[in-house]
Amino acid sequence: MFERESWATRIGFILAAVGSAVGLGNIWRFPFQTGQEGGAAFLLIYLLFIFAIGFPAMLVEFVIGRRSKRNPIGAFKKLGYDKWKFAGAIGVLTAFIILAFYSVVGGWVLRYVGASITGSYFAEPGVYFNAISMGYDALLFHAIFMLATGGIVYLGIRRGIELAVKIMVPSIVILLIFLGIYAFTLEGAISGYSYYLSPDFGFIAEEWTSILPAAAGQAFFTLSLGMGAMITYSSYIDEDKNLGKDGASIVSLDTIIAVMTGFVVFPILFTIGIDPGSGGPGELFVGLGGAFAGLPGGEILGAIFFLTVFIAAISSAISILEVVVSYIIDNFRIDRKIAAVAVSTAIFLTGVPVALDIYWLEVYDELTALVLLPLGMFFLVVFVGWVYKEAAEELSKGTDTSEGIIKAWLWHVRIPMLLIILLVLILNLEQYLVEYAGIEPFLPI
Ligand code: PHE
């Protein structure tokens, strides 16, 4: 056995986990999902899902990671449940596919840092986005993004990840506050807020079979749950940490940042006359692009904004890559450096179709967010709820939380969470198959 690394500072773990959670999911994916699913209705269901399912689900991953001190596949073996390795394997596969498209979007963001300085998208934000989001340009920036992500993982946990995240978290909050104040002064602010904040309950009742799956997928995606990222990160922490408290800070920060993004994006979209439901993956770029074009000093503001988003994206991307790399290191005893280079190259290649044709973005994105993340989480919940005997004991380590609360968590995992995730999974699977495999809807609802 060679020694495993652990976090350099106490706050290092929280920062890194926040770095994993806060990323393109909050700033790019959240606003366009909210737009597609009707604004405030989506926000409400999403928030419910985060607190009722997302937060306890994060603890499910923590108790596996901290106890086993392994990657998501090795963890099951270490805990003595060899047969459950498949649950970790789903995670490693999911990580692979997520990073393949994540890196393409990260590449767009990087491109926009430069394009802000030169004002290249100012004249026609929509046309510019269409030109750079596919083809050789997108491919080049996808390569650069993957190189940067691989580089940080290559250097190892402490030097790379902690440092990057310490800068990113505060800067993103400050920038979003600033942009939020700006958005407040716009003409479309009121329409934007009302779209974002006043839910139509009739609409929820009618559309819940589409809103719930989308909100669940977004919740797992944004909290980095269902594929072992949080198992991996919590495998580097010590017993004296309060998992519940740490989890609560991570979930709150992530949620605050996503919600803040809505306060920036929707007033802008209403002001420049873009329908939030139609923006799709380009919404953030076209919407904010239009706003920066109209702002004095928009070049600098745009560059700073996209640079911050880039850092947020990178700090999430490294957590995704780390899942695959830590598995290769633990399992095959390969040197971290070699593993990082090989895995990054393979993921880059998997992302090539996405960079060449945006059609594949949705195929990859929905396969992971709607199907694979809930599937992975489902097995983790069954495992922690019904199979793994030490889950409650592990959660209570390092805390003075009463036994009642720990028990309540365990029973919440065992029945309500299990059933809700199963429902989401079935709804999502149907939706995905209808959309991409051309089958007829088969559910009675
Ligand atoms: N949570 C990250 C984001 O919001 C994405 C991510 C998904 C990271 C799954 C790790 C695992 O951008």
Side-chain angles (χ1 to χ4, degrees), residues 284-308:
L284 176 80
F285 297 93
V286 178
L288 282 181
F292 291 134
L295 268 173
E299 290 88 352
I300 298 185
L301 203 59
I304 297 175
F305 176 79
F306 284 112
L307 188 65
T308 317

Side-chain angles (χ1 to χ4, degrees), residues 27 31 112 116 121-122 125 176 179 182-183 261 264-266 268-269 272 274 282-295 298 302 305-306 309:
I27 298 162
Y112 267 71
S116 300
Y121 56 77
F122 282 17
L176 283 175
L179 288 169
Y182 161 71
T261 307
V264 177
V265 171
F266 293 113
I268 292 177
L269 290 179
I272 56 182
I274 295 182
E283 192 163 285
L284 176 80
F285 297 93
V286 178
L288 282 181
F292 291 134
L295 268 173
F305 176 79
F306 284 112
V309 177

